[in-house]
Amino acid sequence: MFRMRVARRALVADGVLELVLLPVDGERVPEWTPGAHVGLTLGEGLVRHYSLCGEPTDDHFRLAILREPESRGGSVFVHDSLAEGDVLTVEAPRNHFPLVPDAPEYVFVAGGIGVTPLLPMIEEVERVGATWRLEYGGRTRASMAYHEELTTRYPSRVRVHPQDEVGLMPLAEILADRDRGVAVYCCGPGPLIEAVEKECGAQGIGDLHFERFSAQAPVALDTDCEFEVVLAVSGQTVPVPVGCTILEAVEKAGVPADSSCRDGTCGTCEVGVLEGRPDHRDFILTDAEKETGDTMLICISRSCSDRLVLDL
């Protein structure tokens, strides 16, 4: 954790507020890589995670935050209560959406505020001279943050698709005839991600990376069973009944555990798995990471075995 001051706030699109945060007390900006996000403590202990959309070489953090119609408190606080000069507690950057190096081509697909983690990726691939394109969709032009900046700087590489003007993005056209080594990066609403997943499958594109800002519908729990977790640090055994998450069970047992979103989208609660087979239900870990089973997110995932031993 470290402290940062709100140096500037400005609307950059309808409902989208840009924040520039500067470190205080002589602290340095922590290192980060394209795709990273940070957690902000807002109000009375409310922690929310937002993508970094500046450049890793900046001496500040830049964030763009959408005022969510169904906000759980975070975006409303940022838009209505956070003022220039306020000091926030900020979690160190985490990156569960890293940019793979040396792809023959990068295709970025953004929906609305999902453009934010893609901006530093675009700067990086442009810096190294890679081939790339951005397909950027939104409800209206006025709601699409940074679209003028992007189309002005990269007129031949960026296409915008305001839904009220042209309808939905033509994903079949966007992803057709791509080289097998193309890396597709997608961030935006759940329906867009699911449509890109489906189209990549149809086109035989296997190198797909995506990040969700909110969880999908909860996983059905009618087949869940009770299991137990052993906390390797203390040796304590904690039962996890049906209808209770590992995180909730551990907290009830009086054991502190890092957490934030509690819906499998931020990665704060990730812990090591020493024994047992997790039932992964998060939206962070890759298929390969889930198959290995070395870590899990205890806010939402359960167990396929009767017993898990966690590095906790």
Side-chain angles (χ1 to χ4, degrees), residues 186-202:
C186 178
C187 188
L192 172 64
I193 291 174
E194 289 154 18
V196 171
E197 282 188 286
K198 181 177 180 181
E199 191 58 41
C200 281

Side-chain angles (χ1 to χ4, degrees), residues 84-164:
E84 290 185 7
D86 286 352
V87 175
L88 298 173
T89 299
V90 182
E91 295 179 354
R94 298 170 182 262
N95 197 343
H96 295 283
F97 191 40
L99 182 67
V100 297
D102 303 325
E105 180 185 5
Y106 295 88
V107 176
F108 300 105
V109 182
I113 198 64
V115 75
T116 53
L118 304 181
L119 295 178
M121 295 186 185
I122 288 170
E123 293 303 311
E124 175 63 16
V125 297
E126 176 69 11
R127 184 185 67 80
V128 299
T131 300
W132 66 273
R133 292 188 300 109
L134 169 65
E135 305 284 348
Y136 182 10
R139 291 178 290 103
T140 65
R141 285 183 188 272
S143 71
M144 298 169 66
Y146 308 116
H147 77 87
E148 290 184 357
E149 172 187 328
L150 287 163
T151 53
T152 298
R153 291 183 65 186
Y154 310 114
S156 64
R157 294 181 182 269
V158 176
R159 286 200 303 176
V160 296
H161 306 268
Q163 189 173 344
D164 65 336

Side-chain angles (χ1 to χ4, degrees), residues 215-256:
Q216 293 173 300
V219 177
L221 302 177
D222 55 352
T223 60
D224 287 349
C225 298
E226 181 174 341
F227 59 97
E228 65 181 25
V229 294
V230 178
L231 310 181
V233 174
S234 65
Q236 185 176 355
T237 298
V238 179
V240 183
V242 175
C244 177
T245 68
I246 297 174
L247 177 61
E248 291 168 341
V250 166
E251 289 176 334
K252 288 177 183 177
V255 179

